Every structure is written in C-alpha cells, then in structure tokens.
Amino acid sequence: MTDSFEAKGKRKKLVAELRQKGISDEEVLRAIDTVPRHLFMDPAFLVHAYVDKAFPITSGQTISQPYTVAVQTCLLRVNKRDKILEIGTGSGYQAAILAEMGAKVYTIERFRELFIKAQRTLTSLGYTADFFYGDGYEGKPQYGPFDGIIITAAAQEVPQTLLQQLKIGGRLIIPLGNSGSQVMTVVERTGPNSFEYSSHGSFVFVPMLKGTVNG
Ligand code: SAH
C-alpha cells in the first residue's frame, strides 16, 4: 500500500481545517498529517478520506471523523511509551495515530473481520500494536494498568471493569449517552477509589455492544 503526493496535500489541508476548529496539540496534528487515512478505507474512497467526516467501513461500522479522533487523542494526553488501551479498533486508524505518537497500543474489536483487516493495514504501514478479538467491556487486565483508555463507541455508562484497569493519574475517554448523541467524557483516576469526571462536547458514535461477532 502506498501514500501519494495527492493524499499528502489533502492531509495538509485537513490539518489546517482541524487547527481552525480548535485543535492545537502539535503532536496530534503531526500524527494526523503523517498517517495515510485513505489506506484505512476502501481504495475507491480517496476523495472522501480527507474530508472531516466519519465514513462507513466493513460490518456496518465507521471510521471516526478526523476531528473526533483529534479531540479524543488530545484528551488522552499521550506521552511516548504510554500504555494505551483502545476499545473499538474499527479500521485501525485511531490505533495508528496512537502508535505514530509513540504509544504502546492494545486494541480490542468485537468483529472478527475488522480485527483481521485492521491488523493487516497497520502491519503493512509499519506500525506496531497488539490486536485482540473480543469484548471490550472486559478490557485487558493482564496487560494493564494503562496510562490511558480510549473508547471509540458509545456507551450508556462507564464500564467499571475498565476503570479498574487505569493507573492512578490515568485517563479514560468515553462518549456517554444514547444512540442519538453522546457527551465526550474524561474520567481521571485520582486515587485507588477516586475518579474525577469532566465533559467535552457532543459527538455521535456507533454503539458499544456486548459479545463478539465471528464475521
Ligand atoms: N477507532 C475506530 C472507530 C471505530 S467505530 C477507527 O479508528 O476506525 C467503533 C468500533 O467499536 C466498531 O468497529 C465496533 O465494532 C467496535 N465495538 C463496539 N462495541 C465493542 C466492544 N464491546 N468491544 C470491542 N469493540 C467494540
């Protein structure tokens, strides 16, 4: 799979648009400028790849809107070598952004087909991440605790199992609400049993569902 001058030019414009929309974290913008988003989508959709919109991928799921990826990644406050758990691998684009920023990425997907495809895409681009086919509600306690947990699907409430897998000082980012619209929520673990919540605007995600799909 290859990048192209055309795609690089489109990414520069996308980054400029994200700056205008208020994204100012230079590391996040650099990652978005670097990762070829079009290679996470069907090759026929190059024209859509650098428009700031979500887009359908396999299994009725979506690759998140670049602005949404930027906001969630900013809220995570990623440092190099941080251990980050992602719930909802989808296309693998968000995982690639985190890997580009130097994070050690663990990512879980409930659709087998997406799990396989995303793994292939990241490997072909030279990114390293640990991929898991499973139910993200369970997290990955054997690899935790994590510096950050990012949930890229909408949940009604914060899964307590995931909160227990956060380091003290770690942050969990989750869109909370029903199917129409969710509030981007940050939960910071301030002590063994203390958590601080903050809200960061409205977004729309596909739902976080229990169990796995072998297809
Ligand atoms: N981060 C993705 C966006 C994915 S859309 C990207 O960059 O492309 C949300 C994804 O979450 C979907 O692929 C969906 O199948 C997955 N998902 C929903 N509930 C899940 C769960 N309980 N465990 C793991 N993945 C889940």
Side-chain angles (χ1 to χ4, degrees), residues 57 61-64 69 86-95 108-111 114 134-137 152-153 205-211:
I57 51 172
Q61 303 305 312
T62 53
I63 178 170
S64 299
V69 172
E86 180 192 28
I87 311 300
T89 313
S91 68
Y93 177 69
Q94 172 74 70
I108 310 176
E109 173 56 54
R110 66 187 290 274
F111 274 98
L114 289 172
D135 183 351
Y137 275 101
T152 67
F205 284 80
V206 296
M208 181 172 178
L209 300 171
K210 294 222 159 84

Side-chain angles (χ1 to χ4, degrees), residues 101-167:
M101 292 174 75
K104 172 98 189 72
V105 183
Y106 302 82
T107 182
I108 310 176
E109 173 56 54
R110 66 187 290 274
F111 274 98
R112 182 182 278 283
E113 189 180 344
L114 289 172
F115 151 77
I116 291 168
K117 210 169 163 187
Q119 201 164 358
R120 211 178 283 145
T121 308
L122 265 86
T123 305
S124 74
L125 290 170
Y127 289 118
T128 308
D130 282 1
F131 292 85
F132 301 94
Y133 166 55
D135 183 351
Y137 275 101
E138 291 164 17
K140 276 287 154 210
Q142 60 274 50
Y143 294 94
F146 299 97
D147 298 285
I149 300 180
I150 174 171
I151 293 131
T152 67
Q156 299 283 346
E157 50 192 40
V158 182
Q160 295 302 307
T161 39
L162 296 182
L163 283 184
Q164 294 311 320
Q165 294 172 32
L166 260 188
K167 280 186 191 168

Side-chain angles (χ1 to χ4, degrees), residues 184-196:
M184 192 62 76
T185 306
V186 175
V187 189
E188 186 172 343
R189 186 170 201 175
T190 50
N193 296 310
S194 53
F195 298 90
E196 268 174 23

